[in-house]
Amino acid sequence: MRGRFRLTPGGRHPHEPWFHIGTLEVTTSWLVVLLSVAALIVSAVVGSGSLDYGFRGTLEYNLTAAKMRVVDDLRIWTLLTWPFAYWGVSLWDAIAIFLFWYFASDVERSVLGKKRFLWMLAIWTVLLGAVFVGLNALAGVDAELSGLSMLEIMVLLLWIAEWPTRMFFFNIPAWVVGIVIVGIQVLSYLGTRNWTLLVTFLVGIVVCGFVARQFGMLADYPWIPRLGTPRRRAPKTPKGRKRDFDPGRPTVVSGPWSPPPTTPPPAPSRDEQRMDELLDKIHESGTASLTDAEQAELRELSERRRRRS
């Protein structure tokens, strides 16, 4: 029984877990879920906003009174603590945690892998927190950004944008569900006159989409810029300039013996690369080496290839 709950490290492969807790494979998605559940329990036992109060107390202990007044005005700790700072426990918090796990695990498994997904979530957290803190300071209000719901919505909208034609319940396309979700959120913030969260939500969609594009997602949206990949320009040929003929210079004459030019094969897609990784793993260690999630992923990739052919 003890070995069943033993903590063991995971593999180095991007799609392998960070570590195992017994039979549970703790990926980035599961890590965020476990931290959220722990923060929710602490909030219920110790008190609402316990993480915020604890982090603020640490800052107050290390900063002068003048600096602390600035920190209080800007709520600096919100930059890092907001996804796990719960100001109460409700059913919607549990639903948000479940939906985050459901869609985040698919994005992590199918596209990004554990490390890149962790980096993307960290950047999202800091940028969304920065937008919220800046708007709070400009508006002079004391709104609250807490819990996993905002991050969960961003992950859900990213999943929808990456696979807009997938079907939800009642065979509703994903893009329709995305429009409904955005509309409901906007109406909800308008109804409560929470302008800070409304602007944070709308700006967050743009910011999170831009960041996701830098990590290789949303490739079907070329109008979203991707940094570090400038377009290559063809070299310009000088006009009106002819090469001088030199009878002493050797020339190369092309004939039928020259092989015809060939075009390079197209680069393999993400699905093909991932399928090759899973097949290599089967070749090295057998089918039993695949986890249940990897076996389901292999079946889905095979079905996609069959539909494309």
Side-chain angles (χ1 to χ4, degrees):
M1 290 294 293
R2 292 181 180 178
R4 188 175 179 182
F5 298 96
R6 186 170 54 189
L7 184 68
T8 57
R12 296 183 177 180
H13 193 277
H15 293 275
E16 291 180 338
W18 292 104
F19 53 89
H20 297 79
I21 302 179
T23 58
L24 176 63
E25 298 180 344
V26 181
T27 59
T28 296
S29 306
W30 265 112
L31 185 62
V32 174
V33 167
L34 293 177
L35 291 175
S36 298
V37 172
L40 202 62
I41 295 174
V42 171
S43 175
V45 175
V46 179
S48 298
S50 54
L51 181 61
D52 264 11
Y53 288 136
F55 200 82
R56 183 193 177 281
T58 303
L59 292 175
E60 187 176 20
Y61 180 79
N62 291 280
L63 297 178
T64 62
K67 292 180 178 179
M68 196 60 207
R69 282 195 295 271
V70 176
V71 169
D72 275 332
D73 290 339
L74 296 178
R75 299 182 63 87
I76 297 297
W77 58 83
T78 304
L79 292 173
L80 300 176
T81 62
W82 67 267
F84 308 108
Y86 289 94
W87 291 85
V89 181
S90 67
L91 178 62
W92 296 113
D93 293 323
I95 294 175
I97 292 173
F98 169 76
L99 291 177
F100 174 87
W101 166 80
Y102 186 85
F103 293 100
S105 59
D106 196 9
V107 172
E108 178 183 5
R109 180 181 63 248
S110 303
V111 185
L112 294 178
K114 59 185 180 185
K115 290 183 180 179
R116 296 171 66 214
F117 188 54
L118 179 61
W119 273 108
M120 190 183 75
L121 289 180
I123 295 173
W124 279 11
T125 299
V126 173
L127 291 180
L128 286 171
V131 171
F132 177 80
V133 168
L135 291 172
N136 247 3
L138 290 175
V141 297
D142 194 20
E144 294 291 347
L145 177 65
S146 62
L148 201 62
S149 58
M150 180 72 77
L151 208 58
E152 172 264 318
I153 291 175
M154 294 302 167
V155 170
L156 173 57
L157 293 178
L158 174 64
W159 186 94
I160 291 173
E162 185 72 12
W163 299 289
T165 58
R166 285 192 179 181
M167 296 298 176
F168 272 68
F169 46 86
F170 304 117
N171 287 330
I172 301 176
W175 64 269
V176 176
V177 177
I179 293 175
V180 172
I181 290 173
V182 172
I184 290 175
Q185 285 297 119
V186 170
L187 292 176
S188 174
Y189 294 138
L190 285 175
T192 58
R193 299 298 188 266
N194 198 331
W195 309 116
T196 302
L197 283 180
L198 173 62
V199 178
T200 300
F201 173 69
L202 295 177
V203 174
I205 293 176
V206 177
V207 170
C208 292
F210 175 78
V211 173
R213 185 75 179 93
Q214 312 315 306
F215 281 84
M217 298 193 68
L218 306 179
D220 294 334
Y221 305 86
W223 45 270
I224 302 178
R226 186 175 185 186
L227 304 179
T229 55
R231 296 181 180 179
R232 295 182 179 180
R233 296 183 178 180
K236 296 182 179 180
T237 304
K239 297 181 180 180
R241 183 177 177 182
K242 297 182 180 180
R243 179 178 177 180
D244 297 333
F245 176 72
D246 184 0
R249 181 183 298 172
T251 58
V252 178
V253 181
S254 60
W257 50 85
S258 301
T262 58
T263 57
S269 64
R270 287 199 301 262
D271 286 356
E272 292 175 348
Q273 292 176 350
R274 180 58 181 152
M275 181 175 287
D276 291 340
E277 293 172 359
L278 295 175
L279 293 177
D280 289 341
K281 188 173 182 180
I282 293 176
H283 179 72
E284 293 176 359
S285 307
T287 307
S289 63
L290 295 182
T291 64
D292 293 340
E294 288 174 336
Q295 291 178 7
E297 181 183 3
L298 183 59
R299 289 193 296 269
E300 183 178 352
L301 292 172
S302 301
E303 180 63 21
R304 289 187 203 167
R305 174 180 286 183
R306 186 188 64 79
R307 289 197 298 264
R308 286 196 298 266
S309 60

